[in-house]
Amino acid sequence: LGVQSESANEIVLAFGLDRSGVPENLAALWSHHFKLTYTVTLSADSLKTRLTAENTGDDEFTFTSLLHTYFRVENIDHVRVKGLKGKTYNEKIYNKVGVIDNDDEIAVSAELDRNYFDVPNQGISVVENGTVTASLSTSGFDDVVVWNPWIEKAKSLADFPDEGYKNMICVEVGQIGKPVTLKKGEKWVGEQHIR
């Protein structure tokens, strides 16, 4: 789809996929007709992304979605994620389900993989050395995953540097707790705005 608009202040790009663009071996795993559009708006101080899913077939389908947003940090030891206090999460590493987060901030000192549900649409932030380095707001996405592979998992990932865990935190917006169902002709939109 390419460049949608461009000005001195921002550029908007769109990427699209429908069933005709899916290799046969993968299309066999997903028999539904669909159209996905991923729109990226980049300005000097923000990034906006929008995922639009449309059912272009006759049969309804259900899906989940997650935007894998990796934030580069200088040192994970000094990073905190704020804005999820009081929210329920599942911790995949330790098989904990339905935990309520009572902490003001999340610090990473071991492998972390938490799925937070029904999160606020604004107020989630990544803080390093006491300074907010990224602030997220969303629309259409109810959930957030906070992830860092830590030492052993980082070493086991083929496409991840062994020491890469020290310089990243994932705060991934998504729709996973309540999957989306689209009937024929229906659309769904999920958006995030990072400042």
Side-chain angles (χ1 to χ4, degrees):
L1 301 174
V3 175
Q4 303 297 295
S5 67
E6 187 172 3
S7 71
N9 298 323
E10 70 178 25
I11 186 168
V12 180
L13 300 146
F15 306 87
L17 177 69
D18 62 22
R19 186 166 175 78
S20 68
V22 179
E24 284 186 35
N25 63 323
L26 296 177
L29 302 173
W30 181 261
S31 62
H32 306 288
H33 290 267
F34 65 93
K35 179 180 178 185
L36 288 177
T37 305
Y38 186 63
T39 306
V40 177
T41 304
L42 184 61
S43 69
D45 62 354
S46 74
L47 171 69
K48 296 178 192 174
T49 60
R50 180 176 66 236
L51 181 64
T52 303
E54 181 179 357
N55 183 342
T56 59
D58 294 326
D59 300 323
E60 76 176 34
F61 60 77
T62 301
F63 68 96
T64 59
S65 175
L66 195 61
L67 300 181
H68 296 273
T69 307
Y70 286 54
F71 293 99
R72 177 160 176 67
V73 299
E74 292 300 315
N75 183 336
I76 193 64
D77 295 335
H78 304 287
V79 172
R80 304 293 181 263
V81 177
K82 294 187 175 187
L84 295 167
K85 183 177 182 177
K87 293 300 166 189
T88 301
Y89 69 87
N90 294 346
E91 171 56 71
K92 291 169 53 176
I93 307 303
Y94 306 106
N95 295 317
K96 295 180 181 179
V97 177
V99 179
I100 297 185
D101 196 330
N102 292 313
D103 296 324
D104 290 328
E105 56 191 29
I106 302 164
V108 181
S109 58
E111 184 178 353
L112 180 70
D113 194 350
R114 292 183 183 175
N115 298 346
Y116 284 84
F117 305 103
D118 297 318
V119 299
N121 62 2
Q122 57 186 4
I124 299 171
S125 58
V126 176
V127 178
E128 186 166 13
N129 293 317
T131 301
V132 175
T133 58
S135 176
L136 285 77
S137 58
T138 66
S139 172
F141 289 117
D142 293 336
D143 309 314
V144 166
V145 172
V146 180
W147 179 75
N148 182 289
W150 208 244
I151 300 166
E152 293 307 315
K153 180 108 180 213
K155 289 179 181 178
S156 73
L157 298 170
D159 61 348
F160 197 90
D162 288 353
E163 302 287 312
Y165 74 94
K166 294 178 181 180
N167 303 111
M168 57 76 66
I169 184 77
C170 281
V171 182
E172 312 168 49
V173 300
Q175 190 64 39
I176 53 177
K178 298 174 191 165
V180 176
T181 298
L182 293 180
K183 296 179 182 172
K184 178 181 180 176
E186 290 184 332
K187 286 184 183 182
W188 168 87
V189 177
E191 298 175 308
Q192 75 173 336
H193 188 182
I194 302 168
R195 290 184 211 55

